[in-house]
Amino acid sequence: MNLPPVPANLERAAGWSWRVLVCAAALVAVLAVLWYVRIIVLPVMIALTITPALSPVVRFVRSRLRLGRSAAAIALLVGLAVVAGLIAIVTTSVLAQYDELASSVSRAVSEIADWLEGEPFNLSLGEDLGASLADSWREASGYLVSGAQAGVGLLGGLVLAVSILYFVLRDGASLWDWILRRFTPETRPVVDRAGQRAWVVLGGFVRGTALIAVVDASLIGIGLWVLGVPLAFALAVLVFLGAFVPFIGAFISGLVAVLVAFADGGWEMGLAVLALVVAVQLIEGTFLQPIIQSRTVDLHPAVILLAVAAGASLFGIIGAYLAVPVTAVVFTVVSSIGSDSAAPGAVP
């Protein structure tokens, strides 16, 4: 019995379908492998994203101070000192005003409870709120052991990231030459160009993100200082650190400033700080991100949002931080290899 011929459109759709399924299966397999070896992969990726920020320090030390191989150690110490200084600013500021802030938070919680217990809500929160807090504390106490284990793993990952960062700063060029020698002489130039373009994109992303973070932190910090919000400088530093997660990082860290303002000055102050944070984010999303990032990372904002969401769901805060640079590098490498393959006289 002869079967009727398959329509051309159906055959074409079937061909695309199995290719899409194979690509999806390959992507799932890659993600599974990355998740399995995340204790190694994440520190390596963090080190590679920090390297472009410290490379100018290495070049300066080598060219001006003539210190040679010790330049990497000096640059690494400078980077660690900057990070430690930022963390110290936030920590000491919070500790210095802890008693005042704690009383403000307690007063704000009491006001919210009174408001919910009155008209039109008529909720009974006295005993329920205390019982809920007690239950939450007991539940949180039960996580202390797992939290300690996670802290040990985080410390080990940080040590590994710092070690890798040092070796990349010191021997980055020779390491790249070693990687290129793993390829055939025909494909080596293509891989080299793709790697060089990816490195330029990564460096541009880091510098652009740092510039945006400085602008966000400056505007929000000045606004908090004008409004008289406590911990204004520490909150500005927190916004600076959060801005390294595109689109949502600065906004989420800005919400911490909103909570502090609400606890200290009530609804009016909280709404004023919220308006400040939203206004700064509108300026960033409308002007800063398109102008700065379009020159270095050619990614649509929707792609960036999806990448951040995927990275956060897979690897948490670290995944959200790494999502955009990794996506930009992957897009750049694929585009570079594709353009080289399509060029006249390219090696098949």
Side-chain angles (χ1 to χ4, degrees), residues 200-327:
V200 170
V201 168
L202 182 59
F205 169 81
V206 173
R207 289 188 293 270
T209 303
L211 178 59
I212 293 173
V214 169
V215 174
D216 281 350
S218 300
L219 293 177
I220 293 179
I222 292 173
L224 295 176
W225 176 72
V226 171
L227 293 172
V229 177
L231 304 175
F233 187 65
L235 291 172
V237 173
L238 189 63
V239 171
F240 172 80
L241 296 175
F244 281 89
V245 179
F247 289 106
I248 62 174
F251 181 76
I252 293 176
S253 56
L255 291 181
V256 177
V258 175
L259 294 177
V260 173
F262 167 72
D264 182 72
W267 287 103
E268 295 82 1
M269 185 65 71
L271 291 175
V273 174
L274 179 61
L276 170 67
V277 172
V278 172
V280 171
Q281 293 307 300
L282 288 176
I283 294 174
E284 175 193 329
T286 306
F287 299 103
L288 293 180
Q289 284 281 358
I291 293 175
I292 296 176
Q293 297 292 14
S294 63
R295 299 181 180 180
T296 56
V297 182
D298 189 16
L299 293 177
H300 193 276
V303 176
I304 294 178
L305 288 175
L306 291 175
V308 171
S313 63
L314 288 174
F315 303 113
I317 297 177
I318 297 178
Y321 161 71
L322 293 173
V324 177
V326 170
T327 303

Side-chain angles (χ1 to χ4, degrees), residues 15 18 46 51 60 89 95 99 107-108 116 141 146 152 186 236 265 276 295-296 309 337 340-341:
W18 73 260
I46 291 174
T51 302
F60 175 82
I89 289 173
L95 291 177
D99 294 335
R107 184 173 61 254
L116 292 176
S141 301
S146 60
V152 172
E186 293 80 10
L276 170 67
R295 299 181 180 180
T296 56
I337 294 176
D340 285 342
S341 301

Side-chain angles (χ1 to χ4, degrees), residues 2-333:
N2 294 327
L3 296 176
V6 178
N9 291 335
L10 181 58
E11 185 175 4
R12 190 179 302 111
W16 276 106
S17 298
W18 73 260
R19 289 178 175 86
V20 169
L21 290 175
V22 169
C23 292
L27 179 61
V28 170
V30 170
L31 292 177
V33 172
L34 292 177
W35 174 259
Y36 185 75
V37 296
R38 62 190 182 278
I39 192 173
I40 299 174
V41 173
L42 291 180
V44 171
M45 298 171 90
I46 291 174
L48 291 178
T49 57
I50 299 175
T51 302
L54 296 180
S55 295
V57 180
V58 175
R59 290 194 294 268
F60 175 82
V61 174
R62 285 176 177 170
S63 61
R64 299 296 180 88
L65 303 182
R66 309 290 183 183
L67 294 179
R69 293 177 67 86
S70 60
I74 295 175
L76 183 60
L77 290 176
V78 169
L80 292 176
V82 170
V83 175
L86 294 176
I87 296 175
I89 289 173
V90 177
T91 304
T92 55
S93 299
V94 172
L95 291 177
Q97 302 186 35
Y98 176 79
D99 294 335
E100 178 184 353
L101 190 61
S103 62
S104 299
V105 171
S106 177
R107 184 173 61 254
V109 171
S110 298
E111 291 177 359
I112 294 175
D114 294 339
W115 176 59
L116 292 176
E117 288 177 348
E119 297 290 341
F121 301 101
N122 296 321
L123 299 177
S124 178
L125 296 178
E127 297 180 358
D128 295 340
L129 183 60
S132 299
L133 291 176
D135 293 339
S136 299
W137 173 252
R138 285 193 295 268
E139 189 173 330
S141 301
Y143 291 130
L144 288 178
V145 176
S146 60
Q149 294 174 348
V152 172
L154 178 62
L155 180 61
L158 289 176
V159 172
L160 180 58
V162 171
S163 303
I164 294 172
L165 177 60
Y166 168 73
F167 288 114
V168 173
L169 288 172
R170 193 189 71 176
D171 304 318
S174 58
L175 178 62
W176 179 243
D177 290 337
W178 180 85
I179 293 175
L180 289 177
R181 288 195 297 271
R182 305 306 103 188
F183 296 90
T184 61
E186 293 80 10
T187 59
R188 199 172 296 163
V190 176
V191 176
D192 188 25
R193 280 190 294 270
Q196 297 294 340
R197 292 168 182 170
W199 189 252
V200 170
V201 168
L202 182 59
F205 169 81
V206 173
R207 289 188 293 270
T209 303
L211 178 59
I212 293 173
V214 169
V215 174
D216 281 350
S218 300
L219 293 177
I220 293 179
I222 292 173
L224 295 176
W225 176 72
V226 171
L227 293 172
V229 177
L231 304 175
F233 187 65
L235 291 172
V237 173
L238 189 63
V239 171
F240 172 80
L241 296 175
F244 281 89
V245 179
F247 289 106
I248 62 174
F251 181 76
I252 293 176
S253 56
L255 291 181
V256 177
V258 175
L259 294 177
V260 173
F262 167 72
D264 182 72
W267 287 103
E268 295 82 1
M269 185 65 71
L271 291 175
V273 174
L274 179 61
L276 170 67
V277 172
V278 172
V280 171
Q281 293 307 300
L282 288 176
I283 294 174
E284 175 193 329
T286 306
F287 299 103
L288 293 180
Q289 284 281 358
I291 293 175
I292 296 176
Q293 297 292 14
S294 63
R295 299 181 180 180
T296 56
V297 182
D298 189 16
L299 293 177
H300 193 276
V303 176
I304 294 178
L305 288 175
L306 291 175
V308 171
S313 63
L314 288 174
F315 303 113
I317 297 177
I318 297 178
Y321 161 71
L322 293 173
V324 177
V326 170
T327 303
V329 167
V330 171
F331 272 60
T332 301
V333 170

